[in-house]
Amino acid sequence: MAPHHLSGRPSRTTAAALTAAALFAGAAFGLAPAAEATPARAAATASAGSSSSLKFYDIPGSGGITLKGNVFTPAGARAGDRYPLIVFPTSWGMPQIEYLAQAQKLADAGYTVVSYTSRGFWLSGGTIEVAGPPDVADVSSVIDWALAHTPSDPARIGMGGVSYGAGISLLAAGHDKRIKAVVAMSGWADLIQSIYSGRTQHVQAAAMLGAAGQITGRPSAELNQILKEFLGSDLSKEQDMIDWGRKRSPAAHLDQINKNGAALMLGNAWGDSLFPPNQYADFFTKLTGPKRLEFRPGDHATAEATGLLGLPNDVWSDAHRWFDHYLKGADNGIDREQPVQLKSRPQALGSARAGETPSDGSYEGYPSWQAVGAATEKLPLNGTQKIWANVDSGADGGIIFLSSILDQFAKQPPMASIPLLPRSFAAVWQSPAYGEDRRIRGTATLHTTLTSTKESGTLVAYLYDVGPLGLGKLVSNAPFTFHGQTPGRPFPVDLELFSTSYDVPAGHHLALVVDTVDPLYIEHNPLGAQLTFSSPASDPSSLTVPLRKK
């Protein structure tokens, strides 16, 4: 998210490219973007050989606006027939053609499927409210309309979506009791912990969202103001921003979501640049109804992307199974599987032990998120290290989208030569080499004592898998910002790194690196600041690494 004056050319170009890619995908289905302007109730055949039918509609949203939508109806539907209904709000910046391939498959399987362009984007009315109350009210309006105008069963209603559509679906599950099942892919549970984790602005993520909103829609005045204050680091408005984000966070509506009892399936990627996995896992743990959590390698929405093109895709396969069980009553076994399903980030050939399946081959099932990292290893961070701020040491979290996609498909996460990192700007602690694989699962946590020469500052922690030649592959990272500290007075720092699943091969070791500058984040280090990390005997510093039980 970015205000006008901070939307740089690279971010706008990236957003435009992503949008163009989505529209190209839509054209591949036989519908150009111009189809958005198709008059209400104009019919179109879904695809050659398909038995379900597709029509485009103007759907009344909340507050008197019009939403551009489409409906897939099962073949042979007659007056009086009732089918389970699934509603798909579109992702941020995407038009209503986003879900055509999956909607058609679901309709062919006996569902009525309604998809609509979220308010404020493309030709839908209103302004972009970032999953605010008007967006949630739109869902109920669309359901009302679908029950009145399509062969939909009011007792069997599901919601689903990718990214923005996922967040809106989860929020709607807490406000509309008619929703019985939700599949939320690459979404968020806590908006503040997603783009402001560690009290640090995720600048590349925010700028990309802001630029995409400007290109494809009409941001509200409230959104523009929030963006300006967010990227302008206006601390006097920090609580306003937090309150704004809380209203748009499913985690803040947890009690009502649990009370309504919809069956929730959550899916995300380990390297999601917009919505890191920690906040999804925390939310999942507090759910009391039927639930499922899936994490895979990749970045934001990359795991689901091939499914949107109609290609085989395990995310969408599980989504169909989830809907089939909780909306149709199908005994397909998904309710008996372990509720947490993880696929580890891919490693180079040969990294798995002899006779074992490589880490990118299959899913690991767990009874709960707490069981994922049930074993732990505590690495002491001994001694005292002092670094100067405001200089990038060369340890970085990468580039939004690009780095995690390279990790997913080319097995190349961001890398750094650990021996060459300048110790004046990077604090480094290293473990001994391991005699056997370390299967990291879950959330590593850093505890240290920090002394700053200034009252404000930012640090970024990185965990690396380091090979025999000293080249480190990024396992995880996270930022941390402080304000209002007394210069020269030590204070404790506790920081969760972003959750992950990664196998460190035998012969390698772990390195924790801490510096003060990363292009992913806005840093708050005054000129000339120094940070000192110490490990008092009364409160020793350590890194706790979660491991899979053997």
Side-chain angles (χ1 to χ4, degrees), residues 23-24 26-27 30-40 42 56 68 95-97 122-123:
L23 295 179
F24 178 80
L31 289 166
E36 285 289 301
T38 302
F56 289 85
K68 294 295 182 177
Q96 57 161 293
I97 59 177
W122 297 91
L123 295 181

Side-chain angles (χ1 to χ4, degrees), residues 202-354:
H202 295 211
V203 63
Q204 289 188 18
M208 191 288 297
L209 288 170
Q214 295 287 349
I215 292 169
T216 63
R218 300 167 301 283
S220 67
E222 181 186 32
L223 172 56
N224 284 331
Q225 185 64 30
I226 287 288
L227 291 170
K228 179 180 179 181
E229 294 163 357
F230 179 78
L231 291 181
S233 302
D234 188 345
L235 285 177
S236 70
K237 299 294 185 180
E238 182 182 38
Q239 190 59 50
D240 292 344
M241 185 268 294
I242 291 172
D243 293 342
W244 175 88
R246 183 179 293 116
K247 185 185 299 183
R248 290 157 170 80
S249 296
H253 304 272
L254 179 69
D255 290 345
Q256 195 60 46
I257 290 172
N258 282 334
K259 182 179 179 180
N260 288 352
L264 306 184
M265 173 179 152
L266 313 177
N268 208 345
W270 296 117
D272 195 310
S273 296
L274 304 184
F275 309 127
N278 305 46
Q279 44 90 36
Y280 238 24
D282 291 344
F283 177 68
F284 169 83
T285 298
K286 297 172 184 175
L287 294 172
T288 58
K291 59 183 180 179
R292 182 179 177 93
L293 177 67
E294 300 184 353
F295 281 136
R296 303 171 175 84
D299 206 307
H300 186 68
T302 61
E304 302 91 347
T306 55
L308 291 173
L309 295 171
L311 301 174
N313 181 279
D314 55 352
V315 185
W316 283 100
S317 293
D318 285 347
H320 287 234
R321 294 173 61 220
W322 192 256
F323 286 135
D324 285 348
H325 180 74
Y326 288 102
L327 296 182
K328 287 185 173 181
D331 186 13
N332 54 22
I334 196 166
D335 58 317
R336 297 188 293 275
E337 296 173 359
Q338 297 276 35
V340 177
Q341 296 286 323
L342 310 181
K343 181 180 283 190
S344 292
R345 291 161 55 194
Q347 299 298 300
L349 186 65
S351 67
R353 296 180 189 141

